[in-house]
Amino acid sequence: MSTPVLSAALSGFLLGASLIIAIGAQNAFILRQGLLRQHVFVLCLICALSDALLIGLGVAGLGTLLAQSPTLIFVVTAGGALFLFSYAGIAFRRAMKPEVLQAAKSGEVRLWPAVAACLAFTFLNPHVYLDTVVLLGGLSAAYEGQARLAYGLGAATASFVWFFGLGYGARLLEPVFARPAAWRVLDLLIGAVMAAIGLSLSSRLV
């Protein structure tokens, strides 16, 4: 593999990682599921594959088309804000009832509701499209041929490394979350993150 191709792959990886590694709705959800050890592999795979799909679409040129559709951006933004506010309310309600958190530790959340929530966090968040399709896709124009493909693969690899690291690495914090108070703090943080992102999205609709 030539140096320009390796350089492009590294650039894609570093940029992808810088956009993914942040406290966001998707990451908060994966962190909680990782702590509960529930459907971790499936949910991490969905997040990583979704990012890879969107990055691929962006590198293929869809980013330019999306940026030129204000109506589509408005619909996705409004839907994302509504969903985030709803989930923030759920997180705050869990935080107010520590006995529910203890039950959740031993209980099993069904797969399909977890998958549905994961897909919603992924595809109802306009930041996902702006980061993966528009930004990463737009910057891929600086590369051609194999270098462009390597750039996209590098960015997609960053998603796989991050989501699986977050999902399976969360269990290292399990001793801390053996106490209901820790779960309360986590759900308060998750609720605050969701509400803050929802407010940010709502402000764009005014």
Side-chain angles (χ1 to χ4, degrees):
M1 188 177 292
S2 65
T3 300
V5 172
L6 286 174
S7 177
L10 180 60
S11 296
F13 183 89
L14 293 177
L15 180 58
S18 67
L19 294 174
I20 296 167
I21 302 174
I23 299 177
Q26 194 181 43
N27 287 340
F29 177 72
I30 293 298
L31 174 62
R32 193 174 200 281
Q33 292 302 121
L35 288 167
L36 293 173
R37 299 192 181 189
Q38 294 180 356
H39 316 303
V40 178
F41 179 82
V42 173
L43 297 177
C44 290
L45 184 63
I46 289 173
C47 289
L49 287 177
S50 297
D51 266 12
L53 172 63
L54 293 172
I55 290 170
L57 291 174
V59 171
L62 184 62
T64 302
L65 296 177
L66 180 61
Q68 295 174 349
S69 177
T71 301
L72 179 59
I73 293 177
F74 178 87
V75 171
V76 174
T77 299
L82 180 61
F83 174 75
L84 289 171
F85 282 133
S86 299
Y87 199 88
I90 294 173
F92 286 135
R93 187 171 60 199
R94 282 198 309 253
M96 295 301 104
K97 298 179 180 180
E99 69 277 7
V100 174
L101 298 181
Q102 289 176 317
K105 180 63 177 172
S106 57
E108 178 74 12
V109 176
R110 290 184 300 162
L111 174 62
W112 292 115
V115 168
C118 185
L119 290 172
F121 282 125
T122 300
F123 293 103
L124 289 180
N125 182 3
H127 290 296
V128 171
Y129 299 98
L130 294 175
D131 289 348
T132 58
V133 181
V134 178
L135 182 56
L136 281 170
L139 292 177
S140 70
Y143 304 97
E144 295 181 357
Q146 289 186 340
R148 188 168 187 173
L149 176 61
Y151 170 86
L153 290 175
T157 299
S159 292
F160 277 88
V161 172
W162 170 250
F163 285 118
F164 279 95
L166 179 64
Y168 285 100
R171 63 188 58 186
L172 299 176
L173 298 174
E174 189 172 6
V176 176
F177 286 91
R179 302 185 299 274
W183 282 99
R184 172 175 290 175
V185 171
L186 176 65
D187 276 322
L188 286 173
L189 176 61
I190 290 175
V193 169
M194 304 294 182
I197 298 175
L199 287 172
S200 174
L201 295 180
S202 298
S203 66
R204 299 184 181 187
L205 301 175
V206 179

